[in-house]
Amino acid sequence: MDMTTICADLKDELEALDAIVSPLDEAAWNTLTPAEGWAVRDQIIHIGGTDRTAIVAAAEPERFKAEFLNADRSSRIKRIEAETASLDGAGVLAWWRSGYQSLLDLFLELDAKTRIPWFGPPMSAVSFATARLMETWAHGQDVVDALDVDRPGTERLRHVAHIGVLARPFSYQVNNQTMPDAAIRVELVSPAGALWNWGDEDAPNRVYGDALDFCLAVTQRRHLADTDLRIEGAAAEAWMTIAQTFAGPAGSGRQPGQFPKKR
């Protein structure tokens, strides 16, 4: 994967979410989302604040380590809150757009293998950009759920699914569990009908199904019971109940039946 390709997909993901929120009136910007205590504006501010932090990490890694990496989470949150507290919905939109355009411009200047520090292990620039796409999509899901907007899956979900598979060790770590020594095969059907797969073809532990369902599950935007994923083997079952793509402590996910699958 090169930076031009991942940046094009990240740009498309950002602009797709932009198209959803740009027509909103002030009341809609304050609609509560499934994330407790977070309105639509809070979701966009979170994405925008993380984009701005990512710019510092990529452009000024030593400053990032000094000012962000060693700072507690509450101080980072207060910094963004102070920057956005006086903004109405239109102001939040303009602030977010300015940040993500700067992020895209910066990413396009980077070599794909450039190592960038972050709150977990350092990542290559291409992985860093992929993580930004994943988070944009995941928080965008909270927005579309709040607004009851239909958002069909796209082939960009491959990036989200890929992180979901690679983050398996982290899912155990963040839940203070030991990952079993068992290979897992993941086979997903993309929105366009392509077959995506990861892992040993002969692995007895397997996850099959729709790519959108898998991405919703590993980003904890849907309970497994509200997907059509087929899971075989104890190791696969254990993983999918705790699967987590995002950094930070273990997430609480969604409750079964909170978002039943539309049939």
Side-chain angles (χ1 to χ4, degrees):
M1 178 75 67
D2 58 72
M3 292 304 291
T4 300
T5 300
I6 186 58
C7 285
D9 284 350
L10 175 57
K11 180 175 184 289
D12 287 346
E13 195 63 49
L14 286 159
E15 290 181 347
L17 181 55
D18 192 315
I20 291 170
V21 300
S22 58
L24 299 182
D25 60 21
E26 198 63 27
W29 274 98
N30 289 298
T31 303
L32 290 177
T33 71
E36 186 176 357
W38 282 33
V40 169
R41 63 171 283 125
D42 300 312
Q43 296 283 354
I44 299 302
I45 287 171
H46 175 78
I47 297 170
T50 309
D51 286 346
R52 280 167 162 74
T53 304
I55 289 171
V56 177
E60 303 177 79
E62 295 308 315
R63 178 189 162 203
F64 169 78
K65 292 174 187 177
E67 295 184 17
F68 293 85
L69 188 57
N70 297 322
D72 62 85
R73 185 170 181 269
S74 62
S75 67
R76 298 198 304 268
I77 292 172
K78 288 177 181 177
R79 182 190 300 222
I80 297 301
E81 287 177 343
E83 191 174 339
T84 59
S86 63
L87 300 179
D88 61 6
V92 169
L93 180 63
W95 173 84
W96 173 48
R97 284 174 173 168
S98 172
Y100 78 63
Q101 188 57 62
S102 296
L103 182 73
L104 290 168
D105 291 344
L106 173 61
F107 278 177
L108 283 169
E109 296 175 357
L110 299 176
D111 182 277
K113 296 180 181 179
T114 299
R115 303 300 291 178
I116 299 174
W118 198 236
F119 297 106
M123 289 182 278
S124 68
V126 72
S127 294
F128 199 60
T130 304
R132 295 307 311 132
L133 187 153
M134 178 276 296
E135 188 170 13
T136 299
W137 180 84
H139 286 282
Q141 187 64 43
D142 292 330
V143 171
V144 300
D145 284 338
L147 300 174
D148 195 24
V149 173
D150 183 35
R151 183 179 67 162
T154 72
E155 296 301 278
R156 296 189 297 274
L157 288 177
R158 184 176 180 88
H159 300 299
V160 181
H162 187 64
I163 290 180
V165 173
L166 294 184
R168 183 186 168 211
F170 172 73
S171 300
Y172 287 90
Q173 177 187 341
V174 77
N175 283 278
N176 297 312
Q177 297 181 25
T178 301
M179 187 174 80
D181 185 19
I184 296 177
R185 172 77 168 182
V186 177
E187 294 184 356
L188 305 174
V189 178
S190 83
L195 180 63
W196 299 338
N197 57 72
W198 294 262
D200 186 348
E201 189 174 359
D202 298 321
N205 285 275
R206 309 173 76 85
V207 180
Y208 307 87
D210 178 71
L212 177 57
D213 276 355
F214 181 79
C215 292
L216 288 167
V218 297
T219 58
Q220 298 190 4
R221 264 56 187 184
R222 291 292 183 273
H223 192 278
L224 276 177
D226 295 324
T227 74
D228 289 331
L229 292 173
R230 293 176 293 154
I231 304 172
E232 298 177 0
E237 287 277 2
W239 168 44
M240 288 304 296
T241 60
I242 60 171
Q244 177 172 325
T245 58
F246 50 90
S252 57
R254 302 288 178 256
Q255 297 303 308
Q258 185 175 1
F259 293 101
K261 192 172 178 69
K262 296 177 181 178
R263 309 202 184 265

